[in-house]
Amino acid sequence: MLQDYRTIRDGLERGDYTMQGNWERIGPLLVNNGGGEILIGDVQFQGPLRLQVGKGARIEIGDYTSINYDVEIHSKVRVVIGGYCLIGWKTSITDTDYHGVGYNPPKDMPTTVEEGAWVGCHCIILKGVTVGRGSVVSSASVVNKDVPPFTIVGGNPAKVLKEIEPFEGKHGQIYEYKWWDPSFVPKPKPEFVRTGIRA
């Protein structure tokens, strides 16, 4: 029976019409842990995000990774986000379909975002995918195949748009530490910047 939403307001506020699961709010995280592991390094969360992990599954988020708001990470096997990654808002990363097609059971395959990758906003990273080290996933992309390291991909489905220079340099030049390296030490600011006085 159809009803005007105003007539069922009390039920809506009680959650009678909401499929909740066992969600627990912990700071910026909304966690539904069905018996798995969630391992989080020294990270920065820009706002609320949802982590759902099934029995025996695992979610890992590496050090110095920054995750923006409304990101969803779902795992029934294993989702790994390496260190020094940037994940844009409203992105979904999953290792499962959650449902099969016809009489076939759902397929679950580990998903990995390797270190130094940048995933733009509104992206979907599907099961079984490895987003390679130092790669960039353009906004609103659907990634259903592996992304080679140091490439830019985009589209639905995501395709390689361009290769980018590796951290180490294409031509064997000496490696220069970048901000995402643990051993990076910023160069000191010139004296006039610190004091506001030019010589």
Side-chain angles (χ1 to χ4, degrees):
M1 176 174 74
L2 298 175
Q3 302 175 68
D4 186 275
Y5 74 96
R6 290 170 288 217
T7 63
I8 59 170
R9 181 179 184 138
D10 291 340
L12 288 168
E13 289 176 352
R14 275 194 313 271
D16 296 351
Y17 297 87
T18 305
M19 193 171 132
Q20 295 262 351
N22 297 318
W23 292 96
E24 177 184 9
R25 183 170 294 283
I26 306 168
L29 305 179
L30 193 58
V31 176
N32 186 343
N33 191 337
E37 277 187 299
I38 299 173
L39 304 174
I40 299 173
D42 184 7
V43 301
Q44 182 180 48
F45 298 124
Q46 305 289 330
L49 68 145
R50 292 164 49 113
L51 303 176
Q52 186 165 13
V53 61
K55 186 175 183 180
R58 185 174 180 145
I59 294 174
E60 296 177 24
I61 305 172
D63 288 339
Y64 310 110
T65 284
S66 179
I67 299 181
N68 221 311
Y69 67 90
D70 282 349
V71 168
E72 297 205 13
I73 302 170
H74 298 266
S75 178
K76 286 201 167 185
V77 182
R78 184 174 178 154
V79 172
V80 176
I81 299 173
Y84 310 99
C85 292
L86 300 172
I87 310 294
W89 64 88
K90 296 188 182 293
T91 287
S92 295
I93 302 171
T94 185
D95 66 6
T96 181
D97 290 330
Y98 276 116
H99 58 79
V101 177
Y103 294 105
N104 299 316
K107 293 183 180 176
D108 308 323
M109 298 166 62
T111 301
T112 303
V113 179
E114 293 182 343
E115 70 170 5
W118 178 10
V119 179
C121 62
H122 295 275
C123 289
I124 300 172
I125 311 293
L126 296 173
K127 70 177 188 305
V129 166
T130 296
V131 176
R133 179 173 180 251
S135 59
V136 177
V137 178
S138 301
S139 295
S141 296
V142 177
V143 182
N144 64 350
K145 293 183 180 156
D146 288 352
V147 175
F150 303 106
T151 56
I152 299 173
V153 299
N156 179 6
K159 293 181 169 47
V160 173
L161 303 175
K162 182 179 179 181
E163 288 185 16
I164 53 181
E165 190 166 327
F167 304 148
E168 293 79 13
K170 283 184 186 173
H171 309 292
Q173 63 263 42
I174 296 173
Y175 178 70
E176 231 182 272
Y177 287 105
K178 307 293 191 284
W179 66 267
W180 51 77
D181 294 319
S183 52
F184 176 70
V185 177
K187 294 179 182 173
K189 293 180 181 174
E191 187 63 31
F192 75 87
V193 173
R194 287 197 302 263
T195 63
I197 303 169
R198 285 187 181 264

